[in-house]
């Protein structure tokens, strides 16, 4: 089975970036929610102004951008602040993701990958995915990688991991699992198999036809309105 919209997620230090790198090498369309999250809070943006109203100017860097580490420290220990931040940023992120999905759709990509770190935690977006992919690794490997990558002690690393839904829980909901516990080449082979099955899909043709028709109809409407106002 194959899909049009693919939700990709993992856990901290599970190796999702490794999988995304392989997918990009293969020419896949990948929409990175983290990148978009940074874009929508740039200075002078709507979200940037709202965040300053609620969190104050002490979370700003000298160049006016938001200090992600300072903001992260606040929301990590205060769930109500995390919910507030999400209510500000999520609508803006979703709007930009939709724009990019439509762009890739019209360009004719067979499927679009939505790289969303907290896909399974929020659950709201999973209903829009035909399938979901989890990048998994076993708990000891996850802990070891996080400590090595971030220079954290055991207690700090465990606290970061426990703030997310356990990978073993997420894999119950995922339709595809890429096990990144072993060697990189093993992970690469799994990604190649997944990509091959997705490329065989004809499901995307119907979706492209529907979107193409909608875009064409909208374009025709705009053309008629322009003619009306200039005539």
């Amino acid at each position: 089975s194959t899909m049009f919209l693919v939700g990709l997620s993992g856990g901290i230090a599970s190796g999702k970036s490794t999988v995304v790198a392989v997918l990009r090498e293969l020419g896949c369309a990948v929409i990175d929610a983290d990148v978009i999250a940074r874009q929508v809070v740039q200075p002078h943006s709507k979200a940037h102004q709202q965040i300053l109203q609620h969190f104050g100017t002490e979370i700003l860097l000298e160049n006016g951008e938001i200090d992600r580490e300072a903001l992260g420290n606040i929301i990590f220990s205060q769930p109500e602040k995390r919910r507030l931040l999400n209510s500000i940023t999520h609508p803006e992120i979703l709007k930009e993701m939709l724009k990019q999905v439509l762009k890739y759709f019209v360009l004719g990509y067979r499927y679009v990958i939505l790289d969303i770190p907290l896909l399974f935690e929020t659950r709201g977006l999973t209903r829009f995915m035909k399938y979901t992919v989890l990048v998994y690794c076993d708990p000891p490997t996850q802990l070891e990688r996080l400590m090595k990558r971030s220079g954290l002690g055991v207690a700090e690393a465990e606290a970061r991991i426990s703030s997310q839904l356990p990978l073993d829980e997420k894999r119950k909901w995922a339709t595809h699992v890429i096990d990144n516990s072993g060697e990189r080449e093993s992970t690469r082979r799994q990604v190649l198999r997944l990509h091959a099955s997705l490329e065989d899909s004809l499901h995307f043709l119907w979706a492209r036809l529907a979107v193409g028709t909608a875009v064409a109809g909208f374009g025709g409407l705009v053309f008629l309105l322009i003619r009306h106002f200039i005539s």
Side-chain angles (χ1 to χ4, degrees):
S1 29
T2 50
M3 67 200 79
F4 168 62
L5 282 183
V6 184
L8 176 69
S9 194
I12 187 170
S14 67
K16 184 165 59 66
S17 59
T18 299
V19 171
V20 169
V22 177
L23 290 167
R24 290 190 187 279
E25 285 177 21
L26 295 168
C28 299
V30 181
I31 298 174
D32 189 329
D34 265 351
V35 171
I36 294 175
R38 292 186 181 94
Q39 293 171 346
V40 300
V41 297
Q42 288 300 303
H44 310 299
S45 68
K46 176 182 176 182
H48 184 274
Q49 294 170 2
Q50 291 179 330
I51 291 170
L52 291 187
Q53 289 174 6
H54 292 285
F55 292 88
T57 56
E58 58 269 19
I59 61 166
L60 289 181
L61 296 169
E62 291 183 2
N63 62 3
E65 293 184 1
I66 291 173
D67 185 336
R68 289 170 59 87
E69 183 177 354
L71 185 56
N73 289 335
I74 294 173
I75 65 172
F76 180 73
S77 58
Q78 301 181 58
E80 70 282 359
K81 294 287 189 180
R82 183 162 61 247
R83 287 191 290 270
L84 173 60
L85 179 65
N86 289 342
S87 71
I88 294 171
T89 59
H90 283 185
E92 301 303 312
I93 294 170
L94 289 175
K95 281 193 288 186
E96 182 57 33
M97 289 176 71
L98 179 58
K99 289 179 186 177
Q100 294 191 26
V101 166
L102 291 174
K103 177 188 73 174
Y104 286 124
F105 220 174
V106 173
L107 287 174
Y109 281 77
R110 290 181 182 266
Y111 61 97
V112 178
I113 299 166
L114 301 180
D115 178 359
I116 305 174
L118 299 180
L119 177 66
F120 295 105
E121 278 84 351
T122 57
R123 299 302 301 275
L125 289 176
T126 55
R127 67 180 184 273
F128 299 109
M129 312 298 165
K130 187 155 182 72
Y131 294 97
T132 54
V133 180
L134 173 70
V135 181
Y136 174 87
C137 70
D138 59 76
T141 301
Q142 184 183 21
L143 180 62
E144 180 183 350
R145 286 175 178 170
L146 179 57
M147 292 171 61
K148 182 177 180 181
R149 184 184 77 183
S150 304
L152 299 173
V154 175
E156 291 176 300
E158 287 178 340
R160 294 289 178 92
I161 292 173
S162 64
S163 70
Q164 298 181 348
L165 201 63
L167 288 172
D168 284 322
E169 184 69 22
K170 292 180 182 182
R171 73 182 299 167
K172 297 175 184 177
W173 297 332
T175 54
H176 293 75
V177 176
I178 294 177
D179 192 335
N180 190 39
S181 303
E183 297 296 324
R184 184 173 296 237
E185 187 54 37
S186 171
T187 300
R188 183 180 180 82
R189 286 195 298 269
Q190 293 175 67
V191 177
L192 292 175
R193 286 197 296 270
L194 174 65
H195 175 67
S197 69
L198 296 173
E199 283 294 295
D200 286 339
S201 174
L202 293 180
H203 176 79
F204 82 104
L205 288 173
W206 300 106
R208 275 190 64 206
L209 179 61
V211 171
T213 301
V215 170
F218 179 74
L221 177 61
V222 171
F223 176 72
L224 290 174
L225 288 172
I226 292 172
R227 286 191 59 185
H228 173 74
F229 285 111
I230 66 175
S231 60

